[in-house]
Amino acid sequence: AGRPLAQDLIVLTGWTADDIPNDAAMLERIAVDGPDRAAKKVWWTDLLATVGVVRGPVRIQTKGGRIQEFGARFERRPGGLLLHLSDEGAIAAAQAALASSELRYGSLVERLGVGLYSIEDPALGRFSSVNPEFARMLGYDSTENALAGNPLDHHVVTESGSAPVEAFSERINADGLSVIRYETQLRRADGREPIWALVTVTVARDDHHPYGRQDGVVMDISARRSAVRALEESERRFRALFEQNVVGMTESDREHRLLRVNPAFCEFVGYEAHELVGKRDADFTHRDDVQKEHDAIAALQDGGRDRVELEKRYLRKNGAEVWGQLTLCVVQRDGQARPTVVGMVQDITERKQLAAERERRARLESLGLLAGGIAHNFNNILTAIVGNLSMARRGRPEAVGSRLQ
């Protein structure tokens, strides 16, 4: 009596210390056997005389006038009675919500596409819980077999064949880390090929887990690692083909800037690689052939063609002109956001020179034939003229003959 109510009791019932200043006021608010005050008085008197703890339901009239049932715990203490009230309806609703949440979480864990595990004692490294996906990753046919199987360090593939969990725990403790992420290979219990996994470990330390309870999330990244290896192998083959090819090769972006060149192309144009990278094709192309090449690239990029070929003149660093047969194609390599244009250049300068020489000789031969034909025809005309003059001189008088002569 006379002591203030706890804040929680005020929240539950709506009454304040001013509303319940003494036992009588509290008795007024408690509905025991109906509204009969005498019966409640007897009950209250018996309760005050109780030694120890009494638990049970009790109905209390809230300040709003509603009769609500609470869970009650009465404890007799020196100087009075200690009353604990709990909202049974709210507790039941919370328990139902908790059960529903646990059911949903359990269903999620069962169907989740990632592995989950817990290790209570890192020194032993044995699993205290696993989900079905993690058991499958390790090659077990059930979670029970996974829990009864080998500890974690047996499944981790390293150069020495094992990765002691104790060392891992020491690293966690020494570094003071609460979350660690790493990639590793996990050996399977069924003898099949190990998988690559991305493991995220959360460490929680408390009095019961001085070395840290480990909760791990494991993702199977074998397919990703295979794709990365395939990409690296493809890039290695492309680079080897590019660098070691005896034919000049270039790679440029959509703005015609060179991204890389191979040694054969550098030798062809007389520049070093660092002098060419970043330059545009037009910088070392004969001005009469610049537009021709740009039209070919536009047809390749926008016209849906697989490749284009053209012959063009290049300007070497020393100013000389060389001819190249250029083949262009668009290449979209994995890991690149935008496609690039790859060019292969074959030196056809000698072929062009031979063709020009043949053409010059052909022209000279044609000119010789023409000159010979003209001379032959002219000789024919002169023969007729000379013959006619000779006849005319013999058949004419002396005066005419002298004029013809």
Side-chain angles (χ1 to χ4, degrees), residues 29 41 43 150 203 219 260 270 277 313 338 346 348-349 364:
R29 310 306 179 198
K41 182 66 174 175
W43 175 83
N150 293 307
V203 182
M219 295 181 61
R260 68 169 109 179
V277 174
R313 286 163 289 181
R338 300 179 64 182
Q346 185 175 0
I348 59 171
T349 304
L364 290 177

Side-chain angles (χ1 to χ4, degrees), residues 268 321-324 346-355:
F268 176 59
E321 293 183 10
V322 288
W323 277 92
Q346 185 175 0
D347 187 354
I348 59 171
T349 304
E350 185 177 353
R351 190 185 78 187
K352 282 288 188 178
Q353 290 173 346
L354 291 175

Side-chain angles (χ1 to χ4, degrees), residues 249-252 256-261 265-266 268-273 275-290 293-294 312-324 326 345:
M249 295 191 68
T250 65
E251 185 176 13
S252 57
H256 314 294
R257 286 190 297 264
L258 289 176
L259 302 175
R260 68 169 109 179
V261 293
F265 183 78
C266 294
F268 176 59
V269 294
Y271 287 92
E272 298 292 334
E275 297 177 299
L276 294 172
V277 174
K279 289 184 175 294
R280 297 179 184 272
D281 299 336
D283 294 336
F284 46 86
T285 298
H286 193 282
R287 62 182 182 181
D288 294 339
D289 294 337
V290 170
E293 182 179 3
H294 287 182
K312 56 172 280 190
R313 286 163 289 181
Y314 291 86
L315 300 177
R316 289 176 57 85
K317 187 176 182 179
N318 59 9
E321 293 183 10
V322 288
W323 277 92
L326 176 62
V345 185

Side-chain angles (χ1 to χ4, degrees), residues 5-70:
L5 298 179
Q7 184 63 33
D8 290 342
L9 183 62
I10 297 175
V11 173
L12 287 175
T13 64
W15 301 112
T16 66
D18 294 335
D19 298 320
I20 308 179
N22 49 47
D23 291 347
M26 174 60 78
L27 179 63
E28 184 68 28
R29 310 306 179 198
I30 297 178
V32 181
D33 297 319
D36 183 63
R37 183 177 179 82
K40 287 196 291 185
K41 182 66 174 175
V42 173
W43 175 83
W44 187 254
T45 302
D46 294 341
L47 186 62
L48 291 176
T50 300
V51 177
V53 177
V54 176
R55 292 182 175 86
V58 63
R59 292 178 296 162
I60 295 181
Q61 180 183 0
T62 65
K63 193 168 185 177
R66 182 169 61 90
I67 301 297
Q68 183 174 348
E69 185 172 291
F70 294 91

Side-chain angles (χ1 to χ4, degrees), residues 120 173 203-215:
E120 294 285 346
N173 293 332
V203 182
R205 298 183 183 87
D206 52 37
D207 294 338
H208 300 290
H209 305 92
Y211 295 103
R213 168 193 168 98
Q214 295 181 9
D215 295 309

Side-chain angles (χ1 to χ4, degrees), residues 9 59 67 133 141 146 226 232 314 356 379 396 402:
L9 183 62
R59 292 178 296 162
I67 301 297
E133 180 64 17
D141 55 6
S226 298
E232 291 173 348
Y314 291 86
N379 286 335
R396 296 299 181 183
S402 62

Side-chain angles (χ1 to χ4, degrees), residues 51-226:
V51 177
V53 177
V54 176
R55 292 182 175 86
V58 63
R59 292 178 296 162
I60 295 181
Q61 180 183 0
T62 65
K63 193 168 185 177
R66 182 169 61 90
I67 301 297
Q68 183 174 348
E69 185 172 291
F70 294 91
R73 177 178 179 273
F74 298 93
E75 181 180 351
R76 182 68 180 177
R77 290 188 176 184
L81 185 69
L82 183 61
L83 171 62
H84 297 267
L85 292 180
S86 59
D87 188 342
E88 293 296 322
I91 292 177
Q95 290 175 340
L98 177 61
S100 176
S101 175
E102 289 179 344
L103 180 62
R104 290 195 301 270
Y105 175 75
S107 176
L108 178 63
V109 169
E110 293 293 322
R111 295 182 288 109
L112 202 59
V114 298
L116 302 175
Y117 73 85
S118 295
I119 297 177
E120 294 285 346
D121 188 352
L124 297 177
R126 291 195 172 275
F127 303 114
S128 55
S129 66
V130 297
N131 73 334
E133 180 64 17
F134 186 63
R136 183 198 64 78
M137 289 180 182
L138 294 185
Y140 294 102
D141 55 6
S142 67
T143 57
E144 291 78 10
N145 289 337
L147 294 175
N150 293 307
L152 177 60
D153 66 323
H154 177 80
H155 292 281
V156 177
V157 178
T158 64
E159 293 180 357
S160 61
S162 64
V165 179
E166 296 92 333
F168 181 63
S169 301
E170 290 173 2
R171 173 189 168 192
I172 293 174
N173 293 332
D175 295 345
L177 301 176
S178 58
V179 178
I180 290 180
R181 177 174 294 179
Y182 63 98
E183 292 185 4
T184 187
Q185 272 189 298
L186 295 177
R187 185 182 294 107
R188 297 170 59 90
D190 55 11
R192 288 189 291 172
E193 183 179 357
I195 66 167
W196 275 98
L198 173 63
V199 183
T200 303
V201 181
T202 302
V203 182
R205 298 183 183 87
D206 52 37
D207 294 338
H208 300 290
H209 305 92
Y211 295 103
R213 168 193 168 98
Q214 295 181 9
D215 295 309
V217 179
V218 184
M219 295 181 61
D220 186 346
I221 59 172
S222 301
R224 191 189 76 184
R225 294 275 302 199
S226 298

